Amino acid sequence: MSYDLSSVRFCVVEDSRHMRSLVCRVLASFGVQDVVEVSDGNAALMELQTWMPDIVITDFAMAPIDGIELTRHIRNPDECSNPYLPIIMMTGYTEMHRVIEARDAGVTEIIAKPVSAMALYGRLVSVIDRPRPFVRAAGFFGPDRRRRQIDFKGPERRNSGNEIEI
């Protein structure tokens, strides 16, 4: 199945001009027409004050604000008008502790660099086809980090609503 992404708005946050250009060209090949490119998390936060994309694609390692900190700002409803915004993080740092750090910051999907068109499309389809409910718990707000459905019958079993309070 392919999607018409022509009306989906993207914000691409990447400090490497080459990688930013590559991601934008891949998005254009998917039919995307509305992309704002910024070179770091600080510029993205400024952009998000006046324009709201449907999906953010961000790099992990940038300065002065990296993708992890950017994600934390977006997930904070006091700082962002849409804390439910899907965030796809690109990273060359694929060690498990970094993936867990991104997940725990509230990243929706992670993609390893070098990014392929097929892998990026797969993450976009995941965000569209299988949106995860959001969880609010002590020290965390973001997409449910659990990927598997577990048949748990206890009092803290996640419900079927859009947001889960733990």
Side-chain angles (χ1 to χ4, degrees), residues 65-166:
I65 295 179
D66 65 16
I68 297 293
E69 190 174 346
L70 172 62
T71 299
R72 288 186 179 125
H73 284 286
I74 291 172
R75 294 292 179 239
N76 183 341
D78 294 332
E79 296 181 42
C80 183
S81 63
N82 182 10
Y84 298 94
L85 185 62
I87 301 169
I88 298 172
M89 181 169 284
M90 306 178 294
T91 183
Y93 303 103
T94 57
E95 300 91 350
M96 185 55 75
H97 73 277
R98 300 217 190 230
V99 172
I100 290 169
E101 180 182 16
R103 179 202 66 187
D104 289 350
V107 167
T108 311
E109 293 290 340
I110 298 174
I111 187 169
K113 288 181 179 179
V115 176
S116 72
M118 181 189 267
L120 181 55
Y121 190 77
R123 295 312 184 283
L124 294 175
V125 168
S126 179
V127 165
I128 294 167
D129 274 352
R130 297 178 298 282
R132 295 184 307 186
F134 272 60
V135 174
R136 185 178 308 278
F140 177 78
F141 175 75
D144 191 346
R145 297 174 283 194
R146 298 167 286 191
R147 296 268 187 184
R148 293 179 288 134
Q149 190 75 334
I150 299 171
D151 191 22
F152 177 74
K153 306 280 189 233
E156 293 185 5
R157 172 73 181 129
R158 53 188 153 156
N159 65 22
S160 60
N162 188 34
E163 187 175 311
I164 302 165
E165 191 97 23
I166 296 180

Side-chain angles (χ1 to χ4, degrees), residues 14-54:
E14 168 64 64
D15 56 349
S16 163
R17 180 178 296 166
H18 173 72
M19 182 58 76
R20 212 171 43 241
S21 175
L22 175 71
V23 170
C24 290
R25 282 188 304 223
V26 169
L27 290 173
S29 76
F30 298 155
V32 173
Q33 298 174 12
D34 196 356
V35 179
V36 169
E37 303 176 46
V38 294
S39 61
D40 63 66
N42 192 44
L45 289 172
M46 292 181 68
E47 190 66 43
L48 292 175
Q49 291 176 5
T50 59
W51 180 79
M52 188 54 63
D54 298 305

